[in-house]
Amino acid sequence: MNTATTTANGHAPHGEHHPAGLLRWLTTTNHKDIGTMYLTFALVMFFVGGAMILAVRAELFQPGMQLMQPEFFNQLIGVHALVMIFAALMPAATGFANWQIPLMIGAPDMALPRLNNWGFWLLPPAALLLTMPFVLALFGIGDGAIATGWTFYAPLSVQGGIGVDFAIFAVHILGISSILGSINIIVTIFNMRAPGMTMMKLPLFCWGWLITAFLLIATIPVLAGAVTMLLTDRHFGTHFFTAAGGGDPILFQHLFWFFGHPEVYILLLPVWGLMPHVLATFSRKPVYGYKAQVYGFVAIGILSVVVWAHHFFTAGLPVPALLYFMYSTMSISLPLAVLFFCWIATMWRGAMSFETPMLFATGFIVLFGIAGLTGLVLADVAADAQYHHSYFVVAHFHYALFAGGIMGVMTGVYYWLPKWTGRMYSETLGKWHFWLTVLSFNLTFMPQFFLGLAGMPRRIPDYALQFAEFNAISTVGAFILGISQLLFAWNIVQCVCGRGAPAESRAWEGAEGLEWELSSPPPHHSWEIQPRVK
Amino acid sequence: MSTHSASSHGTHYYVPRPSHYPVTLSGALFLLALGFVLRINGFAPGPWFMLAGAALILYVLFGWFGAIIGESVTRAYGRWEDQSFRHGMVWFIASEVAFFAAFFGALFYVRVISVPDLLNLLPNHGWTLYPDYQGLSWPQSGAGPKAMAFTPMGAWGIPALNTALLLSSGATVTWAHWGLLKNNRFQLNLGLFLTVVLGFTFLGFQAWEYHHAYAELGLTLGAGVYGATFFMLTGFHGFHVTLGAIMLTVILLRCLKGHFDADNHFAFEGVAWYWHFVDVVWLLLFVFVYWL
């Protein structure tokens, strides 16, 4: 397999002619090209979403209104979340899946290559729909983007402006993309594995994604249904969410969080899948508790769809429902604790070295642990009455989704970048990036726990004087955090441009798995003859 | 779950050439969505964007499916690829199940939880949202300023007939499949033709029922939460039947051209599965929307 050259067109087994330039990327059916597009898109949107929230943090630097109108503040907050979730984190995970799953299971490509391309190319139009109302408002069309926060709660969203409609259709298109990607991943894992690779020999990254894909197929259509009802309530006279017509605004919260809670695990399961690979590599030990982790993924996947109402304990649910959702939510900590145990046990007494991916992986374990513990506090019905809709929640889910999700993605990027580009990134820059990220992340979000405990509500552009110091600290942290990410982008660009030391096939000393048997970068078409797994 | 992974296929997997259809379709959906948003917010150019989007979608449907049919007819696919398509169709239908589950979930929620709760406010707490709210049960449209008088749709007229039509069409498509497996082309074509006729007849009745609801019963989309759930559930089902009937028509035309044989007919089976799926959804609709 290593005979193929790194130039894509040199390797054309069927006499195919690959278009060059932009047309190559528009029309490609190759999983590596598509993975690259997903990852590039995710990186760009990460900076777009980050810029939005830096504007928000700048406004919150001091009490009082300095920079913007409250309406614009609300728009930035909602679109920041939608962009980060749907256009940065999810595409990054799908980019990993596209690049890695065929390499890891010894498949010649994804099972449905044209569909794969469609899945990616739905994303830019959706991102355009989401952000377009900002621009249209400058020309006097509409009143800007969606201003309800990312949760679209009725009745606010029923009354909102044109931005809500744009967001509804953006979500529809993003949803189609997610479902296509999920179908493709499930089919690839079920039907494309190399001979001898049984399901219990499947790499954990693929297991994590498999459960993610099931969750997406089960829940994204429910979100599509919910925003469709919202659309008809807004424009076609239905009364799903209006009590005056016999409907109920709380119905929207049920439908939304039936999607929204599994979505958290959709964002995290791919990361949990890749963690054991990285930890085992840099501990130079086999993964500890493979089966336990697989069962943990499955258990978390199942539990995640039956706990949704803990997102609105304060909405007036009956007591039996509160108790059920409290206990079921807390029970998720059991399989999650199994995962934490396996991660730590994988490192236990290993010959550890701390290259950048390992730094991010260990940082992930610590910080994501904080997310889990503060989540337990929020899952407590009695305590939640105090914390609900406060900055405590904001801090909690940023520990989950930045430290858990995005730092997990960064772990994967540093780990696999040498495989993808054939170049080693700069370890010095990587370490700077890690330490700046971890320190400024905590500087940003740790104060938000205290703000929340002291009673500062989220999604409010102005606040009482007593919250000024912690907000100022948080804003300083956020700007350092944002600027540090330029190091990340620079490090990636260097590798993509072919600078840095050449990477070996097995880029890391302790790395195990089929992907490390291919050259770095792998040929344009790999595993056309499937390896046999013993 | 997969028993087909390695043993039953050859060594080469067909990876299609680069194609412009996916990106064109994405652009078309963008135009359609943009046009629709502009249209419902009263901006004049909206319908033109929608028209352009719809035309592009039609172009891609013909082109993309044409390419796939070409690949199928020239035997670019073997058993391995066939397995991928089958798995893919199953999980696509699973996502459709989840979509309908959202609307059924809304129906059950209002019928079992929110409407009884609102009705119980007066006896249990001595107050009510609106003065007329007491004494109403399902079906209802609320009693606030948004309430409208209407007659609910009965189950034993057109809906029962439609149930019989769809169930029969499920039988005829299976009969056609048996014909294909026995290489009896007449049975295949006749069975498919009957299925298509039954499908379009169902749609005709459904359209007539909607007209009846709007013109005579006062039952509209705006008739409270009953009207909303009634029309959204039956409407999305009708939309899926329309798609299914169009797909069956394409399959019928392909059969008449001599496509498919006993070993190679994924497209036929995929559409048949889809048809059975809309059949099952209808049964649930009949029970929970029309009957109970």
Side-chain angles (χ1 to χ4, degrees):
Chain A
M1 289 311 301
N2 295 345
T3 53
T5 59
T6 53
T7 50
N9 297 347
H11 191 75
H14 322 300
E16 298 170 37
H17 176 70
H18 288 286
L22 182 63
L23 211 54
R24 166 183 169 187
W25 299 101
L26 289 172
T27 64
T28 182
T29 51
N30 180 283
H31 73 101
K32 301 181 185 81
D33 283 356
I34 295 169
T36 302
M37 291 197 293
Y38 267 110
L39 289 165
T40 310
F41 178 78
L43 186 63
V44 171
M45 295 312 286
F46 176 53
F47 282 99
V48 171
M52 288 176 186
I53 210 61
L54 286 186
V56 165
R57 278 310 329 165
E59 174 59 56
L60 290 171
F61 183 60
Q62 288 183 318
M65 299 303 296
Q66 284 93 25
L67 301 173
M68 57 187 77
Q69 297 299 312
E71 292 81 6
F72 187 62
F73 180 94
N74 290 344
Q75 294 170 21
L76 284 178
I77 281 197
V79 179
H80 157 77
L82 288 166
V83 164
M84 286 304 200
I85 292 167
F86 286 100
L89 209 39
M90 288 171 75
T94 316
F96 282 178
N98 260 295
W99 254 104
Q100 286 304 123
I101 290 177
L103 300 188
M104 292 173 118
I105 66 172
D109 205 298
M110 295 294 280
L112 305 163
R114 263 181 305 228
L115 217 58
N116 201 9
N117 176 285
W118 188 28
F120 170 75
W121 279 108
L122 284 166
L123 294 181
L128 201 55
L129 284 175
L130 196 56
T131 49
M132 207 168 161
F134 283 125
V135 182
L136 290 180
L138 298 178
F139 295 96
I141 300 175
D143 47 7
I146 182 168
T148 65
W150 82 287
T151 51
F152 293 86
Y153 273 10
L156 183 59
S157 54
V158 178
Q159 299 154 358
I162 195 171
V164 178
D165 295 320
F166 273 104
I168 286 171
F169 283 98
V171 162
H172 271 306
I173 293 178
L174 293 163
I176 298 172
S177 165
S178 295
I179 289 169
L180 296 174
S182 301
I183 291 174
N184 212 350
I185 285 166
I186 294 175
V187 177
T188 303
I189 290 176
F190 279 168
N191 195 36
M192 306 291 283
R193 300 194 309 282
M197 181 174 279
T198 59
M199 285 306 275
M200 288 319 267
K201 286 182 186 167
L202 189 68
L204 279 169
F205 173 71
C206 305
W207 261 112
W209 241 113
L210 186 65
I211 306 297
T212 303
F214 287 142
L215 289 179
L216 281 164
I217 284 180
T219 63
I220 288 270
V222 176
L223 175 67
V227 295
T228 304
M229 292 178 216
L230 180 59
L231 183 77
T232 57
D233 266 19
R234 284 170 57 77
H235 293 287
F236 300 98
T238 59
H239 302 301
F240 284 106
F241 310 126
T242 330
D248 184 4
I250 306 293
L251 169 61
F252 185 85
Q253 303 190 17
H254 281 286
L255 290 168
F256 181 85
W257 288 111
F258 181 81
F259 149 80
H261 193 74
E263 173 69 14
V264 176
Y265 297 94
I266 286 163
L267 296 168
L268 290 173
L269 273 163
V271 167
W272 299 341
L274 73 85
M275 271 310 145
H277 294 274
V278 177
L279 293 169
T281 293
F282 295 100
S283 306
R284 292 161 184 82
K285 273 179 64 198
V287 170
Y288 179 89
Y290 172 91
K291 277 189 188 169
Q293 294 191 56
V294 170
Y295 299 148
F297 293 165
V298 174
I300 292 169
I302 293 169
L303 285 173
S304 74
V305 288
V306 296
V307 299
W308 68 88
H310 65 229
H311 290 270
F312 47 101
F313 277 152
T314 57
L317 303 175
V319 171
L322 292 175
L323 290 176
Y324 161 72
F325 283 110
M326 173 168 75
Y327 291 129
S328 58
T329 301
M330 288 183 167
S331 70
I332 293 187
S333 58
L334 300 175
L336 199 50
V338 170
L339 296 186
F340 272 93
F341 180 82
C342 292
W343 297 333
I344 295 168
T346 299
M347 292 188 288
W348 188 256
R349 304 185 84 178
M352 284 193 281
S353 58
F354 288 90
E355 286 86 348
T356 309
M358 186 62 165
L359 284 175
F360 271 98
T362 42
F364 158 89
I365 294 175
V366 173
L367 297 176
F368 182 60
I370 296 177
L373 293 173
T374 52
L376 273 175
V377 177
L378 289 168
D380 184 306
V381 169
D384 182 68
Q386 166 76 18
Y387 305 143
H388 183 81
H389 214 265
S390 76
Y391 257 88
F392 190 89
V393 178
V394 176
H396 157 71
F397 69 69
H398 280 91
Y399 272 83
L401 296 182
F402 189 95
I406 288 179
M407 279 179 55
V409 166
M410 287 168 177
T411 310
V413 168
Y414 281 113
Y415 184 58
W416 285 319
L417 201 57
K419 172 56 63 189
W420 300 335
T421 63
R423 297 284 163 175
M424 299 305 287
Y425 60 85
S426 157
E427 201 58 62
T428 315
L429 277 185
K431 290 196 163 105
W432 270 100
H433 174 224
F434 169 76
W435 286 110
L436 282 170
T437 299
V438 163
L439 292 175
S440 59
F441 168 78
N442 283 296
L443 195 62
T444 309
F445 291 104
M446 194 61 83
Q448 295 186 4
F449 281 123
F450 304 131
L451 284 169
L453 291 174
M456 178 166 164
R458 61 191 285 212
R459 292 173 172 157
I460 300 289
D462 192 6
Y463 50 84
L465 207 55
Q466 57 167 339
F467 303 128
E469 286 82 2
F470 278 137
N471 268 298
I473 296 170
S474 182
T475 296
V476 170
F479 273 85
I480 302 174
L481 182 60
I483 291 163
S484 321
Q485 303 317 311
L486 295 173
L487 292 178
F488 181 53
W490 175 253
N491 223 345
I492 294 172
V493 168
Q494 290 294 302
C495 286
V496 172
C497 293
R499 300 193 196 110
E504 294 166 20
S505 295
R506 191 175 302 274
W508 308 107
E509 185 191 15
E512 299 285 343
L514 286 177
E515 73 269 36
W516 304 107
E517 291 172 21
L518 295 164
S519 60
S520 299
H524 194 60
H525 293 285
S526 43
W527 298 135
E528 282 182 294
I529 295 167
Q530 291 196 286
R532 195 162 280 278
V533 178
K534 291 191 194 75
Chain B
M1 284 187 76
S2 168
T3 53
H4 316 285
S5 66
S7 51
S8 62
H9 57 70
T11 53
H12 179 259
Y13 193 83
Y14 178 79
V15 177
R17 293 158 175 283
S19 163
H20 73 275
Y21 291 123
V23 68
T24 312
L25 185 54
S26 299
L29 284 176
F30 174 76
L31 288 175
L32 192 64
L34 175 65
F36 193 68
V37 170
L38 293 176
R39 164 87 185 72
I40 55 182
N41 284 282
F43 293 103
W48 294 105
F49 283 109
M50 288 176 72
L51 199 65
L56 262 181
I57 287 174
L58 274 181
Y59 159 73
V60 171
L61 285 180
F62 276 95
W64 195 342
F65 279 104
I68 294 169
I69 292 169
E71 286 161 355
S72 169
V73 170
T74 55
R75 298 291 171 132
Y77 308 136
R79 297 188 74 83
W80 196 7
E81 292 83 358
D82 194 67
Q83 281 301 332
S84 288
F85 300 152
R86 282 161 193 271
H87 277 289
M89 192 69 196
V90 167
W91 292 107
F92 170 67
I93 290 176
S95 77
E96 292 272 47
V97 170
F99 182 74
F100 276 99
F103 292 92
F104 275 107
L107 177 69
F108 296 149
Y109 178 85
V110 292
R111 288 187 63 167
V112 178
I113 296 177
S114 68
V115 166
D117 264 12
L118 291 172
L119 293 176
N120 282 335
L121 284 176
L122 187 64
N124 292 341
H125 302 284
W127 62 280
T128 179
L129 282 180
Y130 303 103
D132 305 330
Y133 218 71
Q134 52 186 310
L136 286 168
S137 65
W138 194 260
Q140 68 139 291
S141 66
K146 305 280 174 93
M148 298 165 71
F150 70 94
T151 313
M153 186 65 71
W156 299 110
I158 299 277
L161 183 62
N162 266 344
T163 307
L165 287 177
L166 267 198
L167 284 179
S168 315
S169 75
T172 52
V173 78
T174 304
W175 187 63
H177 191 202
W178 290 345
L180 177 56
L181 293 177
K182 293 185 295 201
N183 203 23
N184 182 341
R185 304 297 293 195
F186 175 75
Q187 183 179 332
L188 167 67
N189 294 336
L190 180 63
L192 264 179
F193 176 74
L194 289 174
T195 312
V196 169
V197 170
L198 288 167
F200 280 109
T201 312
F202 171 94
L203 286 171
F205 278 130
Q206 200 68 349
W208 190 82
E209 180 190 274
Y210 275 19
H211 174 75
H212 174 62
Y214 263 80
E216 288 151 43
L217 301 182
L219 174 56
T220 65
L221 258 182
V225 75
Y226 177 87
T229 51
F230 175 84
F231 279 105
M232 292 296 271
L233 274 162
T234 57
F236 271 115
H237 176 263
F239 175 64
H240 281 74
V241 174
T242 310
L243 290 183
I246 293 170
M247 294 194 290
L248 280 169
T249 309
V250 173
I251 296 295
L252 174 61
L253 293 175
R254 287 187 63 187
C255 287
L256 291 173
K257 284 183 80 174
H259 292 189
F260 306 126
D261 57 44
D263 292 328
N264 179 24
H265 56 267
F266 160 71
F268 177 96
E269 275 199 77
V271 172
W273 293 344
Y274 191 81
W275 194 248
H276 290 310
F277 156 70
V278 297
D279 213 352
V280 172
V281 172
W282 174 261
L283 285 180
L284 293 173
L285 284 178
F286 181 71
V287 173
F288 292 112
V289 175
Y290 290 98
W291 184 10
L292 295 180

